């Protein structure tokens, strides 16, 4: 396995864990009662993989802030069109786009569906203090919010 550049890892942790946790604390201090966090499928604070470990850690940190309600979305691979070029990601998205036609909720989700699921989760009554929405539920909720022109 190739070594992870420590500077890149530090930057990732700072942005994806520390800044998100600080934003949650500021939101709570400002009166926010319901925090919605986009995490990742497989998030686990004990994972050996940096990405999944950091996502799991930030989930725990946000929950500890003490919101009346916290919704955590754990999407699979996000399907989106980027302006910058990422060849490896492009290949993966092409493959997952085909797989999604056969198994639409298994391995990927369009970013638009995640955004709609976030809105839907806020508009629906709570099913508990902390709700964790996995990829299949994100797909379902992503269809629940009517969109202009659809």
């Amino acid at each position: 396995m190739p070594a992870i550049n420590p500077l890149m890892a530090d930057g990732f942790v700072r942005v994806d864990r520390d800044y998100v946790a600080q934003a949650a604390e500021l939101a709570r201090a400002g009166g926010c009662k319901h925090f919605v966090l986009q995490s990742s499928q497989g998030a686990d604070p004990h994972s050996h993989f940096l990405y999944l470990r950091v996502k799991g850690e930030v989930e725990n940190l946000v929950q500890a802030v003490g919101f009346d309600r916290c919704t955590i979305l754990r999407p699979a691979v996000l399907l989106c069109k980027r302006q910058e070029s990422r060849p490896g990601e492009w290949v993966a998205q092409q493959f997952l786009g085909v797989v999604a036609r056969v198994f639409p909720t298994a391995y990927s989700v369009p970013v638009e569906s995640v955004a709609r699921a976030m809105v839907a989760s806020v508009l629906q009554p709570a099913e508990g203090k902390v709700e964790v929405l996995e990829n299949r539920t994100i797909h379902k909720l992503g269809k629940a919010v009517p969109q202009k022109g659809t």
Side-chain angles (χ1 to χ4, degrees):
M1 178 186 284
I4 296 174
N5 179 330
L7 292 177
M8 288 178 58
D10 289 347
F12 171 72
V13 170
R14 186 171 38 260
V15 170
D16 277 61
R17 186 191 65 200
D18 300 344
Y19 289 174
V20 173
Q22 290 172 5
E25 290 171 5
L26 290 170
R28 179 73 174 113
C32 177
K33 298 193 181 311
H34 182 184
F35 194 86
V36 180
L37 172 68
Q38 179 187 315
S39 184
S40 175
Q41 185 176 55
D44 177 357
H46 305 292
S47 176
H48 294 290
F49 297 101
L50 176 68
Y51 182 83
L52 297 177
R53 183 176 65 246
V54 168
K55 295 298 185 178
E57 289 171 354
V58 78
E59 286 182 10
N60 289 342
L61 290 168
V62 167
Q63 289 178 58
V65 170
F67 291 99
D68 293 350
R69 184 174 172 200
C70 179
T71 303
I72 298 170
L73 287 87
R74 289 183 176 166
V77 175
L78 298 172
L79 298 177
C80 63
K81 294 180 181 171
R82 294 187 182 269
Q83 290 183 348
E84 70 273 11
S85 175
R86 295 183 177 180
E89 188 174 280
W90 180 86
V91 169
Q93 285 196 10
Q94 298 309 306
F95 173 74
L96 289 170
V98 171
V99 171
R101 290 188 186 106
V102 179
F103 304 104
T105 63
Y107 304 107
S108 62
V109 61
V111 293
E112 297 84 3
S113 294
V114 176
R116 287 193 296 269
M118 290 174 132
V119 171
S121 74
V122 171
L123 299 175
Q124 294 183 352
E127 291 189 19
K129 184 173 174 76
V130 177
E131 301 164 287
V132 178
L133 308 178
E134 300 291 347
N135 202 56
R136 183 176 301 273
T137 305
I138 293 168
H139 273 272
K140 182 178 171 186
L141 281 177
K143 296 176 183 174
V145 178
Q147 298 296 302
K148 186 177 180 179
T150 59

